[in-house]
Every structure is written in structure tokens, then in C-alpha cells.
Amino acid sequence: MFRSLRRALRTAATVLLLPMALGLTATTAAHAAEDTAAAPTAAAAGAGYWHTSGRQILDASGSPVRIAGINWFGFETTNLVVHGLWSRDYKSMIDQMKSLGYNTLRIPYSDDVFKSGATPLSIDFEGKNTDLRGLNSLQVLDKIVAYAGQDGLKVILDRHRPDSAGQSALWYTSSVPESTWIADLKSIASRYAGQDTVIGIDLHNEPHDPACWGCGDQATDWRLAAERAGNAVLSVNPDLLVFVEGVQTVNGVSGWWGGNLMGAGQYPVRLDVPNRLVYSAHDYATSVAQQSWFEDASFPDNMPGIWDKYWGYLFKQNIAPVWVGEFGTTLQSTTDQKWLAALVDYLRPTAAYGGDSFQWTFWSWNPNSGDTGGILKDDWSTVDTVKDGYLASVKAPGFPSTGDGDDGGDDGDDGGGDPATSCAATYTVTNDWGGGFNAEVTVKNTGTTAWKSWQVTWTWPGSQKISNMWNASFTQSGAKVTAANAAHNGTVAAGGSASFGFGGAPGGATAPTVSCTGS
């Protein structure tokens, strides 16, 4: 009942569409008593496959990591591929996600992608997505996973639906039995064995009534089904994390679809491979559906208690990591704004807690989610900086690249180094379709002293104009462009780097020589 509106606009798109961060002050003192785990480490964690220890997720070296990511949907729809590729190149999308500070990508799919002849629809191949031409849906997914890993993003695959027709209450339907569900989960787990960009699988999206937890009925007990499916996944790829969502109703208490994990304490999911289980909850605001707690006189102060009851206790009692796999809102109402601010605070700010925090992926990247909208606006390029800004305090560092660094783009001047300022800048065209282009600039501190700010300049070889820029501000006078850091990425440690991206027009030009300073 909570999905009819939010899914309304997630339909096949068969025509081409026409074409800083606001930090929230989080109160950390209230969380101090909960901090029973080791203090977070600040190193570039995340290499290799991951495992769990109590409420934390650890990388291959044992360092805590934080999933701070975004949902990019479409493979679960009749398009059989992520949406927006009718407007932009997939590489520029992923580059932009990275530049905004998202470190993980949750990709929903349906079992239709495994069918013979599954063909992705609504992809523009003219000057963009050229390497996807002729590929089936799974082969396109391979490309997206590979590029995400090269960019330092991790991927969680989400079996969202049995088929593209719509969400199902149970993990099976009359046309897609449990045996197919498990066989397809094993297939995709095997497909990415040895590729640690894919760190786990979300077994099924939003089980809801009549799904139960701990009732013992093989046909409806989601906890037992998750054990069967999770162990099947681990039998072919024991390195993966297994993400298990909640249900709707436990002991007569109802909440969001997939958001009720009240039964997991008494009836935990039991997997054959230890330290692979992550519980997942979904939570939404009034733009999706009304709930009684939004009308409580104590709102929003009542919300931490609500979250504690439904899923937060698993983290606070050090039982298991908890990943809020979906949460989102249009932010149109004051209630929704207060809800999102309260939830972000509850998730624990990265600056204070690092990897000893709730994990999350925001819904959604796509602007065409009917009752939440997205981080991108309707042009599939401009960032909703207000919505993105709410998440600033819970974003987290990216992870080591799993690629060779060759993204196939048009690499411009490699920047070299400016001895006077100990700054090097690299300019990369990530997408060029003739009428316009996207580019990314990375600024590296090659000195021995941290910066508090940086600036990059270049002069266009032609009539190029910047249309929009993310993670930096800019001025342009004729052909000369000056870009300066945003409020959240001016500080760069010695040996560290920061990136920003932009769109411009026209395309087809050679890359300019860039110079930079840091102080």
C-alpha cells in the first residue's frame, strides 16, 4: 500500500527526455553513551571483500567502513536498465555520484533480466553510452559495475521484484517460484565472484503482509526464506554480505514495507558463513504515506524511539549492522523536512563516529521516482543541492579503485605539478556528445602541508560555456574559467585530492591546459 504512488512514475521511458552542500549541525552528545565500539579510523578503508563484527562492517584488513550511497533504479522496470541513459552517459552519472560524496550504489533489478533476450530499452547511443550498444541487460550491468569499481564505488545488487510488472508482497509469485528466485540469486552471485566491487546482495525488496517474521510457515515466513536464499548465495560466493530487509507487520505492529525488524532479535537470520549478515530497513516520510507518528504531538522528538523499536535496537545492542537501504522524500512539507533532519542525526555523523554508524543508501538518484523525486532534477543533470545537503554530515569517504584507471574518456592535460603551490590538476572529459559535454577535474595536494582552500583555472580553446557545476563554484569571463572549492571540500590533506564536475557546451573541443593553487 505504500508503493503504489512511489512506483507510479517508474515506468518504461521510450523517448529521449529534453534535456555548497548544506551541512546540518548534528547533536552528537546524545549518542555518546551508545559508543561502545572502537573509535573510527580515518584511513582510506574499504579494500577487498567485507565482513561484519557486531554492529560494524569491516573491510578485508579489519577497518570499519560506512556505506553512504544512493539508489539508481531501472533494471527492475520494463526498461531493463538504469534510467536516465536516454539523457546521459552512464560514466558521467557515476562520476557525478562520486563527486557528490556517495560511495556505494544500490542497483535494483527484477528476475526478468535473466531471461533470454532481455534487451535494455531507452538508451541513447549517439555520442554517449557507445560501449553499451548491442549488449543485453546483464552485460550492461557488468559495465556499470566495472566502472563504479574503477571510480572507487561499491555496489549492492537488490533483487527488487520477481518481474517488472510490480512489487510483490512475498519473494515469489505464481510465475516466478522460489526455485527461480534462488537460482537467479546464485547466478548473479556467481557472475561477480572475485569482483569485490559487488560487496553484497539484498535478497528481496520490501516483503510485506502476508509476509511474517518467525511464524514458522514456510510459505510466508520471510526469516526462513532469507536463510534459504542467503545460504544459497554464500554457497557460490561466500565473500558476499547478505542484506535482509524487514517485513511490514510483527505481532500485530505494522510499519513501512520492509521496515519492521522487530522480530529479528528473537528470531535472527542464521547463515552458514559467519559474519555476513546485515539487516536492512526502509523508512519514508509523508510524501510516500502518512503514519501515526507524524501526527504525534511530540514529533519529531518521538522519531528516535520509533526507529529504536523497529530496527535501531539491532545496532544499539551490537547485534548486527543495520543498513537503511531506502529513505527519501520530496521535502515539500515541513513535516518531511523535520523527519529527514531527525533521521540524518539518528544515523550518526561520520565526523564523530566514522564506520561505527548506521549504513545507508538514499532513495533515489533518479528524478522520476513519483513520490520522492531524486538527487537529480528533471533534466537528469542538475543537482538538488538542498536535498543533497541534508545528507552532508553522514556522507563518507570513497573506497580504493578496483580498476586500472582507464575510463575510456578523453583525458586532457595531466596537470603536472606546480612547485610553487604543490598543486596538480587533472582534467578529464567523461562524456562528449557534440552538442555538449561533461568533465571532471581532480585537484591533488602534492605538498607536505594541508590546504584549507584551492582554486583551478583554465582557458577554453573555443566558445565553450559552463552550464552547471557540482562540488565547486565558478566564474567565467570569456574563455577563462576559475573554479574554487565548495564549503565541504576545501580542506585537502597532504597527498590527498578533491574533485568537482561540470557540464558545458558545445562539445568536441580539445581539453584545455589547467593550473591550480592550494593554500
Side-chain angles (χ1 to χ4, degrees):
M1 63 182 175
F2 300 126
R3 286 299 175 268
S4 58
L5 177 60
R6 182 156 64 87
R7 299 299 187 254
L9 297 187
R10 296 172 52 191
T11 54
T14 57
V15 297
L16 299 183
L17 297 187
L18 296 176
M20 155 150 172
L22 173 65
L24 299 180
T25 301
T27 302
T28 60
H31 299 303
E34 306 162 9
D35 191 17
T36 60
T41 58
Y49 281 105
W50 297 352
H51 60 282
T52 68
S53 178
R55 68 192 194 182
Q56 292 187 340
I57 298 177
L58 308 179
D59 68 7
S61 67
S63 298
V65 294
R66 183 173 206 184
I67 296 168
I70 195 79
N71 285 269
W72 187 12
F73 67 75
F75 276 101
E76 81 284 16
T77 71
T78 54
N79 288 66
L80 298 175
V81 71
V82 287
H83 288 177
L85 301 189
W86 55 75
S87 180
R88 289 179 61 187
D89 186 87
Y90 74 98
K91 294 178 181 178
S92 74
M93 293 270 209
I94 295 171
D95 288 343
Q96 190 177 14
M97 294 173 196
K98 173 188 175 183
S99 73
L100 290 172
Y102 298 102
N103 66 19
T104 303
L105 184 54
R106 180 179 183 254
I107 303 178
Y109 69 88
S110 82
D111 291 74
D112 283 351
V113 301
F114 298 96
K115 294 179 179 179
S116 177
T119 302
L121 303 176
S122 301
I123 301 177
D124 182 4
F125 301 111
E126 299 304 318
K128 57 180 77 73
N129 303 300
T130 54
D131 58 335
L132 304 185
R133 190 188 299 272
L135 302 184
N136 64 32
S137 292
L138 286 175
Q139 290 168 334
V140 171
L141 181 60
D142 292 343
K143 289 280 193 177
I144 291 171
V145 167
Y147 193 78
Q150 180 179 301
D151 254 8
L153 275 66
K154 294 290 189 178
V155 171
I156 299 169
L157 301 173
D158 158 45
R159 192 278 194 157
H160 210 73
R161 303 170 172 175
D163 56 51
S164 59
Q167 187 60 41
S168 62
L170 300 173
W171 53 97
Y172 62 90
T173 62
S174 58
S175 59
V176 185
E178 178 175 307
S179 58
T180 299
W181 172 54
I182 289 179
D184 289 344
L185 284 171
K186 291 175 69 174
S187 174
I188 205 162
S190 297
R191 187 180 191 91
Y192 296 108
Q195 298 184 49
D196 58 25
T197 294
V198 177
I199 49 97
I201 297 178
D202 188 343
L203 298 177
H204 177 63
N205 186 68
E206 296 183 348
H208 53 278
D209 296 346
C212 61
W213 192 293
C215 65
D217 184 343
Q218 294 287 325
T220 58
D221 192 332
W222 168 237
R223 175 252 196 164
L224 296 180
E227 290 178 349
R228 295 191 293 272
N231 286 324
V233 165
L234 294 172
S235 71
V236 297
N237 191 343
D239 295 314
L240 292 177
L241 295 175
V242 173
F243 295 90
V244 179
E245 297 186 27
V247 291
Q248 179 184 356
T249 304
V250 175
N251 294 330
V253 180
S254 294
W256 297 110
W257 290 1
N260 191 335
L261 284 159
M262 293 170 58
Q266 182 180 2
Y267 300 106
V269 172
R270 300 156 297 184
L271 298 177
D272 294 338
V273 180
N275 304 319
R276 292 294 181 272
L277 172 66
V278 178
Y279 288 112
S280 176
H282 290 185
D283 203 271
Y284 280 98
T286 61
S287 63
V288 173
Q290 186 61 256
Q291 297 278 15
S292 60
W293 45 80
F294 296 126
E295 299 174 336
D296 191 287
S298 63
F299 176 84
D301 294 338
N302 62 327
M303 292 310 304
I306 297 292
W307 295 319
D308 284 350
K309 179 176 75 172
Y310 281 98
W311 43 268
Y313 76 94
L314 293 164
F315 175 86
K316 292 187 175 183
Q317 295 178 24
N318 204 37
I319 294 171
V322 177
W323 169 53
V324 185
E326 290 186 19
F327 63 107
T329 166
T330 60
L331 282 182
Q332 294 303 301
S333 73
T334 300
T335 297
D336 284 24
Q337 294 162 15
K338 291 179 178 179
W339 165 84
L340 184 55
L343 180 56
V344 166
D345 185 47
Y346 184 83
L347 296 178
R348 297 163 63 102
T350 304
Y353 296 101
D356 185 33
S357 306
F358 290 96
Q359 319 288 330
W360 60 272
T361 45
F362 188 73
W363 188 275
S364 61
W365 181 248
N366 307 47
N368 61 328
S369 181
D371 52 4
T372 66
I375 291 298
L376 293 185
K377 295 187 177 182
D378 288 344
D379 62 2
W380 282 95
S381 180
T382 304
V383 175
D384 185 332
T385 55
V386 174
K387 187 178 290 187
D388 180 63
Y390 272 84
L391 305 172
S393 66
V394 291
K395 290 182 180 179
F399 308 113
S401 171
T402 58
D404 61 7
D406 179 11
D407 64 7
D410 179 14
D411 291 340
D413 184 83
D414 65 7
D418 183 342
T421 62
S422 300
C423 181
T426 302
Y427 179 110
T428 302
V429 175
T430 57
N431 189 20
D432 191 327
W433 56 96
F437 68 100
N438 290 315
E440 181 180 74
V441 177
T442 298
V443 182
K444 184 173 182 180
N445 182 348
T446 58
T448 57
T449 304
W451 297 338
K452 294 183 180 179
S453 63
W454 46 262
Q455 182 174 286
V456 181
T457 60
W458 67 85
T459 300
W460 295 117
S463 59
Q464 286 73 29
K465 298 286 185 182
I466 292 178
S467 55
N468 65 310
M469 182 176 287
W470 48 93
N471 280 335
S473 60
F474 76 96
T475 59
Q476 182 169 352
S477 177
K480 184 176 180 180
V481 176
T482 301
N485 61 274
H488 66 279
N489 65 356
T491 300
V492 180
S497 62
S499 297
F500 65 94
F502 60 90
T510 58
T513 299
V514 294
S515 61
C516 63
T517 59
S519 60

